[in-house]
Amino acid sequence: MTVEPGARVDAPEPLTRVDAPEPSAPESGAPHVLIIGGGGTGGALAHDLTLRGLRVTVVERGEITSGTTGRHHGLLHSGARYATTDRASAVDCSAENKILRRICPGSFEENDGLYVAITDEDAAYEKEFLDGCWQSAVPAKRVEREAALRMEPGLNAAMQFAVQVPDATMDAMRVPLRFFATARRHGAEIKPFTEVIALTMAGRTVGGVKVRDHAAGRDYEIGADIVVNAAGPWVGKVAALAGVNVPVVASPGVMVAVRGRHCNMVVSRLHSPADGDIVLPQRALTVVGTSSWIADDPDDLRVPADHVEMVVRESAALVPAIARAEIRAVWAAARPLIGEVGGKKRRSPRRVARADAAGHGAGEAATGPGAGSGAGPATEPAGRNLAREMRCFDHATDAAPIEGFVTVAGGKATTLRAMAEATADVICAKLGLVRPCQTVDYVLLPHTAWYSE
Amino acid sequence: MSARFRVSRSARGEVESHFDDFDVELESGATVLDALLQIKRRHDPSLVVRHSCMHASCGTCGVRVNGREVLACDTKVAWLPAGKPIEVEPLANQRLVADLATDMVDFYARYEPVGMPLVRGAGVKAEVDAGIELPEGVKSFGRFENCIECGLCLSACPVARTSGEFIGPAALAAAARVVAEPRGRELAPVLALAAEPDSVWRCRDAMACTAVCPSAVDPARALSTLRRHVAANGLKRFLGRGA
């Protein structure tokens, strides 16, 4: 199926289909939203807000997607990974997986994923896993050993069986570029190599930013009606410019790319989320991951050597060829996770707008049994096992309120559109605007459009 | 491991560039990109450099190191000659943003019209032909194309250096890929594009593109295959049977 960019695809029920006129560049009098951070969230938010008729500027201190977004391993989650531990995230992923395939046609290797049972302990986890998938509206089906080995001859022959789910792989940079390209086509200004050095404040109201254009070597100010902090693991640093504390920690994980394409499907271990339990094809490479620790500085991510060994060893239990393959690259990406380090739960009283599946388009899009009941409160963040949920903080409701300043954090690459929708809802409410989200069925421009003049 | 980096600097719009030297202390497995990011963090935050995936998949961190086109994320400092400064410059034959960042607009202006999809199936077709059972609901295994659109080949190409109009190796390799696996696509426009004066016939077989390609696309070979298709199609057209 060829879908023209900008076309509105027919969304299956119960997705809402919005028949809005093609957006033109927003009127000069429209409210101006300035987004700090050119990652997936910033791009998706710029797209969402331009479709709602707002003026948008994105500033990014480096190249677009140079923070956490581009370093992502490239999994389009089916939701299965979180089905037993984090129902809200699982439901979100299940819905967004379907939406992204529709609005980014041609951007995914739609080869599905296999959760592989190797030990008896893995096998015993099957029932809980399938039940979690069912509750989260994630299609999941048991595949017997022989069939699984025919699909993926590289699997560990000692496997017992597998569960097939609609995982897919994406190009971690090129999917977000489609959001940026489409936003720019609709009038958004996207400014890479432009770093925020201060927030311009009038009393307790943020009125814009002062930026340094590294490419031109000059500083200047940009005024805005609302400033959105979408800086991923750097949100804490940006929030501190306004004297605000945001409970987000940088939790890096190690990934390893080895030469050779050792599988076509996403291969995961059938057990609770753990280290070193995923293998993905990425062009002629195979990417394996991952681990998790807490970093003080998301700019200084030194890769621990023992993490590399562990990730290779554990993933070779799924696809044995990994153990013999030449390592091409080793890197770390800092996840921005909601919570505090060391179980010291300083749950912010400032949190007001919880941007999870419940009550938003993303959650409503979920179908199947349990979709409603599954969208309850996410698990409490604690220690290393912080939830992958997303949150939007309106700092006007802080104990020491700051007006005109919103932070969005958490989430995953798969849920970028839903994060943007929830954040744009908060922004529109703050501006007193009633404008529904239109991104659910809006087909994005191809990534190549980002580079057109 | 310590190393001295000699990095090309120029602000946006400046014609002249100069070199700045930075002495960095690195861990043994560090890449050129690790070094550049450390320079940004510890020495000069104003250094403009593109990067994203850190594993040779996105194609953004192409630079010239000691005169040769590489991906900075894929080049270990330990591989480079010790004892002399490591020179890092932006890619050639492309417009400069600033410092080490080039603007890929001209690259895509040539690459995009070929219309090569990002995801194709032929890379695993042999496996499918061999009777591998596909997952239910999956018609054929999808696979991202090898080309990561990094522009290293265009920078290394001696023809592109002297002729700004040359369509370049990446776009022609993409055209060859479409011809090799049309999947129902009309080939006439692609062959016509390849037959233009600034296209396949300008290539002088210097093979520099293939030598620097970080993703095993082998543009030089693809180009020579494409040239045969263009020639054959030209002959067929002459005889009234071509695309």
Side-chain angles (χ1 to χ4, degrees):
Chain A
M1 180 182 71
T2 307
V3 187
E4 288 301 313
R8 295 178 190 277
V9 288
D10 286 322
E13 293 298 321
L15 292 175
T16 50
R17 187 163 183 273
V18 183
D19 286 308
E22 181 65 15
S24 50
E27 294 160 22
S28 57
H32 181 214
V33 178
L34 185 129
I35 301 166
I36 302 170
T41 309
L45 182 57
H47 169 58
D48 192 312
L49 292 173
T50 52
L51 285 187
R52 298 195 206 203
L54 300 187
R55 286 191 301 138
V56 177
T57 302
V58 181
V59 292
E60 160 58 47
R61 65 177 190 166
E63 175 60 291
I64 296 301
T65 75
S66 59
T68 297
T69 295
R71 304 180 191 203
H72 174 241
H73 51 25
L75 171 64
L76 178 70
H77 274 283
S78 61
R81 178 72 289 166
Y82 305 114
T84 57
T85 55
D86 183 351
R87 187 63 44 79
S89 287
V91 169
D92 255 2
C93 285
S94 173
E96 293 302 313
N97 178 300
K98 298 183 195 89
I99 293 170
L100 286 183
R101 286 180 202 236
R102 281 209 319 276
I103 66 174
C104 300
S107 274
F108 304 102
E109 293 183 358
E110 299 182 84
N111 298 341
D112 280 6
L114 290 177
Y115 277 76
V116 179
I118 294 171
T119 63
D120 290 343
E121 197 185 338
D122 296 348
Y125 180 62
E126 181 198 9
K127 187 175 179 301
E128 185 188 350
F129 182 76
L130 285 174
D131 185 58
C133 287
W134 177 247
Q135 301 264 344
S136 313
V138 177
K141 191 187 75 165
R142 180 179 160 120
V143 179
E144 298 306 328
R145 177 176 178 275
E146 290 69 28
L149 285 170
R150 277 199 301 276
M151 290 177 189
E152 281 294 354
L155 289 179
N156 184 350
M159 67 166 296
Q160 300 188 20
F161 63 92
V163 175
Q164 182 189 334
V165 296
D167 285 341
T169 54
M170 66 172 110
D171 183 300
M173 178 183 73
R174 288 172 174 83
V175 167
L177 283 188
R178 299 183 70 158
F179 285 91
F180 281 107
T182 310
R184 193 177 57 188
R185 178 69 58 88
H186 295 149
E189 277 203 70
I190 320 284
K191 297 170 177 288
F193 309 116
T194 302
E195 183 163 8
V196 171
I197 52 177
L199 299 176
T200 49
M201 313 271 298
R204 302 197 59 82
T205 300
V206 175
V209 294
K210 186 175 186 189
V211 295
R212 178 161 297 159
D213 178 346
H214 289 305
R218 72 183 184 99
D219 297 350
Y220 62 99
E221 289 186 8
I222 307 172
D225 296 294
I226 290 184
V227 171
V228 182
N229 175 11
W234 292 271
V235 287
K237 288 188 176 183
V238 171
L241 296 174
V244 168
N245 176 47
V246 179
V248 170
V249 296
S251 171
V254 165
M255 276 163 281
V256 179
V258 302
R259 287 186 195 273
R261 186 181 172 94
H262 301 290
C263 53
N264 286 309
M265 304 172 77
V266 178
V267 179
S268 306
R269 185 78 177 257
L270 184 64
H271 59 193
S272 287
D275 288 347
D277 61 359
I278 185 163
V279 181
L280 310 94
Q282 188 71 244
R283 294 195 165 83
L285 302 172
T286 304
V287 173
V288 303
T290 177
S291 63
S292 175
W293 74 96
I294 302 292
D296 295 331
D297 180 2
D299 280 318
D300 191 9
L301 304 178
R302 257 166 282 191
V303 174
D306 56 331
H307 284 220
V308 178
E309 286 165 30
M310 179 277 297
V311 161
V312 169
R313 185 180 64 243
E314 291 296 319
S315 56
L318 294 167
V319 179
I322 302 294
R324 302 183 297 276
E326 183 196 341
I327 290 179
R328 176 144 195 201
V330 170
W331 75 102
R335 312 171 184 90
L337 299 186
I338 310 283
E340 301 281 344
V341 186
K344 183 179 60 175
K345 282 182 208 159
R346 205 155 23 123
R347 282 297 288 260
S348 173
R350 310 179 182 98
R351 179 170 63 81
V352 288
R354 183 161 172 278
D356 69 4
H360 290 97
E364 288 156 12
T367 53
S373 64
T379 46
E380 289 279 316
R384 258 174 116 242
N385 203 13
L386 297 168
R388 303 296 203 254
E389 68 183 314
M390 52 186 171
R391 290 253 180 85
C392 181
F393 303 86
D394 178 356
H395 298 296
T397 60
D398 286 6
I402 298 286
E403 196 37 85
F405 190 46
V406 170
T407 294
V408 55
K412 290 164 292 296
T414 299
T415 58
L416 81 174
R417 191 214 61 83
M419 288 180 77
E421 176 182 339
T423 309
D425 285 347
V426 169
I427 290 165
C428 284
K430 281 178 75 66
L431 292 167
L433 301 171
V434 181
R435 297 190 187 170
C437 176
Q438 299 180 46
T439 59
V440 163
D441 55 1
Y442 195 94
V443 178
L444 299 165
L445 292 173
H447 79 275
T448 49
W450 169 247
Y451 298 100
S452 66
E453 279 181 300
Chain B
M1 178 174 59
S2 58
R4 172 166 294 184
F5 277 77
R6 185 158 288 170
V7 181
S8 178
R9 306 300 300 272
S10 58
R12 181 187 285 138
E14 271 181 17
V15 181
E16 296 294 316
S17 63
H18 67 278
F19 285 100
D20 281 346
D21 283 6
F22 301 97
D23 291 316
V24 294
E25 202 55 48
L26 298 162
E27 289 176 18
S28 60
T31 63
V32 169
L33 182 54
D34 291 332
L36 295 173
L37 294 181
Q38 193 188 114
I39 289 168
K40 265 184 83 70
R41 195 167 67 244
R42 298 211 183 133
H43 302 271
D44 186 352
S46 74
L47 179 66
V48 176
V49 55
R50 301 178 71 219
H51 65 89
S52 180
C53 79
M54 317 295 278
H55 66 284
S57 208
C58 73
T60 56
C61 69
V63 287
R64 283 180 296 157
V65 172
N66 294 339
R68 185 188 163 89
E69 284 76 10
V70 296
L71 296 179
C73 75
D74 197 26
T75 305
K76 293 205 169 166
V77 176
W79 297 344
L80 303 168
K84 61 172 192 173
I86 296 162
E87 213 168 84
V88 188
E89 298 169 275
L91 294 180
N93 307 329
Q94 283 152 66
R95 272 185 269 179
L96 198 59
V97 175
D99 296 342
L100 300 175
T102 46
D103 190 332
M104 298 297 284
V105 164
D106 295 329
F107 175 91
Y108 281 95
R110 294 151 195 208
Y111 187 87
E112 204 274 332
V114 173
M116 182 172 76
L118 190 59
V119 181
R120 306 264 281 177
V124 290
K125 189 166 178 296
E127 295 168 32
V128 175
D129 287 347
I132 287 177
E133 188 179 308
L134 289 164
E136 194 180 304
V138 174
K139 287 193 280 293
S140 72
F141 281 127
R143 185 196 185 290
F144 285 123
E145 284 292 351
N146 276 350
C147 181
I148 56 173
E149 305 159 4
C150 61
L152 264 55
C153 55
L154 190 62
S155 174
C157 176
V159 178
R161 194 174 308 148
T162 52
S163 165
E165 300 303 308
F166 180 45
I167 182 170
L172 291 171
R177 192 72 190 83
V178 171
V179 170
E181 195 200 343
R183 299 206 297 190
R185 178 124 178 249
E186 180 62 51
L187 289 183
V190 181
L191 288 170
L193 206 133
E196 281 180 12
D198 287 307
S199 197
V200 287
W201 307 113
R202 296 298 299 272
C203 170
R204 299 201 304 261
D205 298 313
M207 311 285 283
C209 49
T210 290
V212 300
C213 177
S215 206
V217 170
D218 199 350
R221 179 196 244 175
L223 216 148
S224 94
T225 310
L226 182 63
R227 201 150 44 189
R228 283 201 297 279
H229 279 287
V230 170
N233 189 54
L235 184 64
K236 279 194 225 157
R237 278 169 62 106
F238 182 71
L239 299 172
R241 298 197 297 266

